[in-house]
Amino acid sequence: MIKYWLFSCLLFVATAVEAQRLNPGFNLPEYQEMLRVNAHIYEQDESDSSDIPAPEYSKLIYRSPAMGLNNLYELWQRDENTAIFCTRGSVDDNLSWLANLYAAMVPAIGKLEIDTNFVFDYKLSNDPNAAVHVGYLISTAFLSRDMLPKIDSLYQQGTKDILIVGHSQGGGISYLLTAYFYQLQDAGRLPKDIRFKTYCSAAPKPGNLYFAYEYENRSYGWAYQIVNPKDWVPQMPFTVQQLQDLPSRNPVTPIASTIKKQGLKKRIAFRMLKNPSQKAVVNYQKILGKQVSKMVKKYLPNFKEPTYFPSNDYVRTGTHVILTPDAEYFRIFDEQKSDEMMLHHSLKPYYKLALALKPTFP
């Protein structure tokens, strides 16, 4: 009897310790708690989150001021070993939406001249072909500048596990934040024994395929993109693929060089395939790059427009978890009864779907 009691106590202690560790893999209760944390950050801005309960076991310790393109984040303590950085998504004002609209790509390695005394020297990938969303990169610059001293303080106190979470625009930014922190670890500017785990809900696409390749390889088991397939935001920004987006060894580029030797009809046919995508990228850079940058400069007058990456081949990033709606979901979120654009995108449908999800993921 005593042996059984001792074994039970040891099992309870081991289970409690295990519950406090941050482990790889999609953890459904952990994700549900992250949605409750996300709902808190919106409570002053989005009434849709008002009926999502408060976090069950996480404690708010800091809420940042608004910065950059009206971005902010909250810092939570899940337990003595784990902290949570939650980045807010879009809110209903022009400055916040500029971060979404400024959707031209820039190289994933470079510098952003944001203000007179603020140059963001960044590296989000080792691949020279990787590129990211410039609006979210500006947000990353401001948020990371405020987050890094907090990460240092947490580490000095013994907190080495950090969850990076965000919904919608906050999810798009969270990808870039995590990629930036990984590169700081590689450069010796952040301790290598800090573990980052990322949950992005309803996130738009943060960069191109080469950014996604390296990010997913680096974060396998530690970064998740959670999607409601009825939600339109994860399909944004629109993608445009060109010949130069392909790897250097491919069957299409040689055809492009030999097509010049072909007859007029074949040359015209090839141009009909090639030219529209190139023109689309030029228009992307003209409208969602140069024109939107002028709007950004109204709020950040010393911002220097960067050189854009010649692509808009945006892709979804991270390990995907699909929250498939069922009949009960469509009873609550009925498209026949609502013309709300964000009907399937806001936190409420994601939370409802997460509650119904069976924890079958590794």
Side-chain angles (χ1 to χ4, degrees):
M1 188 69 179
I2 294 176
K3 290 182 178 179
Y4 177 80
W5 180 82
L6 287 172
F7 175 79
S8 299
C9 289
L10 289 171
L11 181 62
F12 174 81
V13 171
T15 302
V17 171
E18 180 68 22
Q20 291 184 350
R21 294 183 59 193
L22 189 60
N23 293 308
F26 181 79
N27 183 313
L28 181 56
E30 184 175 70
Y31 173 62
Q32 291 168 344
E33 177 74 352
M34 295 307 99
L35 287 176
R36 290 188 284 267
V37 168
N38 262 295
H40 183 278
I41 204 170
Y42 283 112
E43 66 180 0
Q44 298 174 16
D45 309 291
E46 186 180 272
S47 59
D48 179 76
S49 64
S50 59
D51 59 349
I52 297 176
E56 292 182 0
Y57 48 82
S58 304
K59 180 182 178 182
L60 178 65
I61 58 177
Y62 174 75
R63 182 180 174 95
S64 79
M67 60 188 78
L69 302 177
N70 198 7
N71 305 114
L72 65 78
Y73 73 94
E74 288 182 343
L75 172 58
W76 293 69
Q77 193 82 40
R78 192 183 78 171
D79 52 57
E80 61 183 10
N81 301 317
T82 308
I84 305 163
F85 285 89
C86 178
T87 298
R88 187 178 68 180
S90 306
V91 292
D92 191 18
D93 71 56
N94 293 336
L95 182 56
S96 178
W97 275 88
L98 273 181
N100 299 318
L101 293 175
Y102 196 15
M105 280 187 176
V106 292
I109 306 171
K111 294 182 179 182
L112 276 184
E113 297 184 36
I114 296 174
D115 205 342
T116 305
N117 298 312
F118 185 15
V119 176
F120 184 49
D121 191 350
Y122 67 91
K123 184 178 182 182
L124 307 181
S125 172
N126 292 306
D127 192 331
N129 294 312
V132 295
H133 188 294
V134 65
Y136 298 158
L137 185 61
I138 293 174
S139 302
T140 298
F142 280 96
L143 291 169
S144 62
R145 184 171 64 167
D146 197 74
M147 287 178 175
L148 286 172
K150 301 292 187 296
I151 293 175
D152 181 65
S153 296
L154 289 166
Y155 187 81
Q156 297 304 321
Q157 297 166 15
T159 300
K160 299 181 181 180
D161 288 351
I162 296 176
L163 285 151
I164 307 289
V165 302
H167 174 264
S168 190
Q169 180 191 101
I173 296 168
S174 292
Y175 289 120
L176 303 193
L177 283 168
T178 313
Y180 180 56
F181 294 152
Y182 283 152
Q183 293 294 332
L184 291 182
Q185 286 183 311
D186 290 346
R189 295 172 58 192
L190 274 180
K192 293 185 183 297
D193 57 344
I194 294 178
R195 295 189 295 184
F196 295 102
K197 189 173 185 179
T198 308
Y199 286 107
C200 299
S201 301
K205 294 173 281 190
N208 70 353
L209 187 62
Y210 296 100
F211 171 76
Y213 280 156
E214 184 172 325
Y215 181 88
E216 291 168 358
N217 182 60
R218 177 71 180 263
S219 65
Y220 183 74
W222 293 92
Y224 291 91
Q225 157 72 308
I226 300 91
V227 174
N228 173 1
K230 298 297 291 183
D231 182 5
W232 61 272
V233 172
Q235 297 185 33
M236 298 292 111
F238 286 131
T239 185
V240 180
Q241 190 175 24
Q242 304 174 93
L243 290 181
Q244 55 261 44
D245 293 315
L246 295 172
S248 57
R249 182 64 60 88
N250 68 79
V252 183
T253 302
I255 294 174
S257 62
T258 60
I259 203 73
K260 297 176 183 179
K261 304 175 184 177
Q262 305 301 314
L264 178 62
K265 290 182 179 180
K266 289 185 178 180
R267 294 202 306 271
I268 292 174
F270 183 77
R271 287 170 186 162
M272 288 176 67
L273 295 174
K274 177 182 177 183
N275 291 353
S277 62
Q278 291 182 330
K279 290 180 180 178
V281 170
V282 170
N283 287 333
Y284 252 95
Q285 293 187 354
K286 180 180 178 181
I287 298 170
L288 301 181
K290 293 182 180 299
Q291 291 186 14
V292 178
S293 73
K294 294 177 182 177
M295 301 168 67
V296 170
K297 285 177 70 68
K298 292 180 180 179
Y299 299 94
L300 302 172
N302 295 315
F303 174 71
K304 184 176 180 180
E305 185 181 12
T307 300
Y308 300 115
F309 191 85
S311 172
N312 270 81
D313 187 23
Y314 278 104
V315 300
R316 284 167 55 197
T317 303
T319 301
H320 302 130
V321 176
I322 310 302
L323 304 178
T324 304
D326 57 11
E328 175 63 15
Y329 174 89
F330 288 115
R331 185 188 68 79
I332 300 171
F333 303 98
D334 189 345
E335 293 181 358
Q336 303 301 317
K337 296 180 180 179
S338 173
D339 59 359
E340 171 57 47
M341 182 176 65
M342 298 297 186
L343 178 66
H344 302 295
H345 173 67
S346 60
L347 274 166
K348 185 175 180 179
Y350 274 80
Y351 189 66
K352 293 291 185 184
L353 288 170
L355 290 179
L357 187 66
K358 294 180 180 180
T360 57
F361 295 88

